[in-house]
Amino acid sequence: MKILFVDLETEWRGGQNQALLLLTALNARGDTAELVAVEGSALGRRAAAKRVKVHFVGEYAARVLAAAKIFQQTQNRAFDVVHANEAHAVTAAWLAGAQRRAVFLISRRVGYPLSKGRVALARYKAAQRIIAISQWVAERLAASGAPEEKLVVIYEGVEVRALPDAEARKRARVRWGVAEETVLLGSVGVLLPDKGHELLIRALALLRVEFPDCKLLLAGAGPGRVMLEQLAAELGVSEMVVFAGFVADIETVYTALDGFLFPSFFEGLGTSLLAAMSYEIPSVAFNCCAFGEIIENGKSGLLVETGKVDEIVKAVSQLLRDREFARAVGQAARARIVEKFSSTGMVEQTLTLYRELCER
């Protein structure tokens, strides 16, 4: 089977990680998976490094250039599937008429409603299937006009690696300047207002009354960093907040943590939450979006009322006071990821969908 992926995002986020997992897995199985990407993009570079064939287009007028590239590559039905991995890719594939020469699939990772414009909706109606990364995203799509009969939910997945040993944890903590006896909480994500990092700094200031050795590690870059640094200074916790910036070897973050906090207000699913759970890290998230599809509250994690700092403090305090409970939550979290949110499962379900549609 030959699959042409299209992703015109330049930055590295969860959707690009999923694309790379799928591309490499398909090629490893003997299928042919190639990529149309923007020159200099994070996904394009990483895919090429893993020997995936990448068809690069310029960043200026990327959708038009990508449409021409897709049209060129799909002539004479050279590919069985064209899979658009984000919104700009959807436009490019539709402009290229990919749906007339291959099975056309769209991945939708955000909960924003579709535009009501006739052309905007036509792009999604042209697809054979629209893959939503959560039931919550699927419901939002249906409510905004996407054809329900074309919607299918395939959860994003993460690699379930062997758990790090004590030596790996020690090295990770040395990297972030954290002593072994220090309680280290963490969050991974772009530093934007809707990611909720401000609430974590406020929660940290309150937690330190009972847990004075508690620290917070924020992994991720973004325009919100300056405001967060100012807030930490105002609350007197600057020395207790580690701003790690973008971390390429992100496993060194998860390996160092005692607890993971995911205070996002608006997320299609949340691959950093999935990753943390796969490391047996007890995690806390808001009870909104798709987080209830991931976490079984009180078993594989804790869900708290959205936007409430005191609820974050209460949940974290429960985990820190009862380490046996925290350990059990972490173990159940990893089991949950193995069962429902592994990258292996995501690849298998996607490949099954490809085959079913191609056979038809």
Side-chain angles (χ1 to χ4, degrees):
M1 187 178 299
K2 294 192 68 175
I3 302 99
L4 183 65
F5 269 83
V6 188
D7 189 305
L8 305 182
E9 177 62 63
T10 57
E11 297 181 1
W12 181 258
R13 294 190 178 178
Q16 288 63 53
N17 183 59
Q18 293 298 299
L20 185 60
L21 288 171
L22 198 49
L23 284 161
T24 53
L26 290 170
N27 283 327
R29 289 163 181 259
D31 295 300
T32 300
E34 300 179 8
L35 172 67
V36 176
V38 172
E39 291 176 356
S41 65
L43 175 58
R45 292 196 308 270
R46 295 190 188 201
K50 289 185 175 289
R51 299 187 179 182
V52 173
K53 184 173 182 179
V54 183
H55 305 273
F56 285 107
V57 298
E59 187 173 359
Y60 179 74
R63 285 175 291 183
V64 174
L65 294 174
K69 181 69 69 174
I70 295 164
F71 180 82
Q72 176 189 22
Q73 293 299 318
T74 57
Q75 287 190 81
N76 303 318
R77 300 187 180 274
F79 286 88
D80 301 296
V81 175
V82 174
H83 190 157
N85 198 51
E86 45 80 36
H88 297 307
V90 173
T91 299
W94 180 73
L95 287 173
Q99 67 275 13
R100 294 191 290 272
R101 294 182 297 280
V103 170
F104 178 36
L105 288 145
I106 294 172
S107 281
R108 182 74 173 180
R109 293 188 160 82
V110 295
Y112 299 109
L114 299 178
S115 172
K116 294 295 184 181
R118 182 174 59 86
V119 173
L121 283 176
R123 297 175 303 163
Y124 285 83
K125 290 180 179 179
Q128 273 75 24
R129 288 292 183 275
I130 305 168
I131 301 173
I133 64 168
S134 66
Q135 188 61 44
W136 180 73
V137 169
E139 291 167 0
R140 304 272 293 187
L141 279 167
S144 63
E148 292 188 47
E149 70 278 4
K150 293 186 176 184
L151 295 175
V152 59
V153 175
I154 297 179
Y155 288 117
E156 290 187 332
V158 293
E159 295 178 280
V160 183
R161 305 182 181 189
L163 291 173
D165 57 21
E167 187 58 35
R169 176 181 166 86
K170 182 178 179 180
R171 289 195 302 270
R173 290 201 151 216
V174 168
R175 172 172 179 175
W176 303 117
V178 179
E180 184 55 38
E181 64 274 11
T182 298
V183 174
L184 184 62
L185 306 173
S187 189
V188 176
V190 182
L191 302 182
L192 294 170
D194 64 353
K195 298 297 184 180
H197 298 103
E198 174 189 349
L199 303 179
L200 299 187
I201 293 175
R202 295 187 183 279
L204 177 67
L206 297 174
L207 283 164
R208 293 195 68 244
V209 174
E210 182 177 354
F211 308 99
D213 64 340
C214 187
K215 281 192 171 185
L216 175 65
L217 190 158
L218 299 179
R225 176 164 177 167
V226 173
M227 182 275 290
L228 294 172
E229 289 176 331
Q230 291 173 345
L231 177 62
E234 290 171 9
L235 296 177
V237 295
S238 290
E239 293 184 1
M240 309 308 288
V241 182
V242 180
F243 288 94
F246 176 78
V247 182
D249 52 341
I250 197 65
E251 64 276 2
T252 63
V253 171
Y254 295 118
T255 300
L257 298 182
D258 297 299
F260 186 80
L261 309 178
F262 199 64
S264 179
F265 293 96
F266 197 80
E267 203 82 32
L269 191 64
T271 51
S272 61
L273 174 60
L274 300 180
M277 292 171 66
S278 77
Y279 278 81
E280 281 194 1
I281 304 172
S283 301
V284 178
F286 287 146
N287 192 9
C288 64
C289 307
F291 305 142
E293 297 176 51
I294 302 171
I295 289 176
E296 306 152 293
N297 190 28
K299 180 183 177 182
S300 53
L302 296 177
L303 296 171
V304 302
E305 187 176 350
T306 303
K308 299 291 186 180
V309 173
D310 59 334
E311 291 293 311
I312 297 173
V313 172
K314 181 180 176 181
V316 173
S317 297
Q318 181 182 3
L319 294 171
L320 297 184
R321 290 176 190 144
D322 190 343
R323 294 305 180 92
E324 286 302 316
F325 172 67
R327 186 175 296 108
V329 167
Q331 291 171 348
R334 182 175 170 89
R336 178 73 168 163
I337 299 305
V338 171
E339 175 192 7
K340 201 165 185 177
F341 298 98
S342 71
S343 58
T344 301
M346 179 271 292
V347 170
E348 290 290 349
Q349 291 177 59
T350 306
L351 186 55
T352 297
L353 180 62
Y354 288 166
R355 287 173 175 161
E356 288 177 354
L357 294 174
C358 288
E359 287 172 1
R360 291 180 188 179

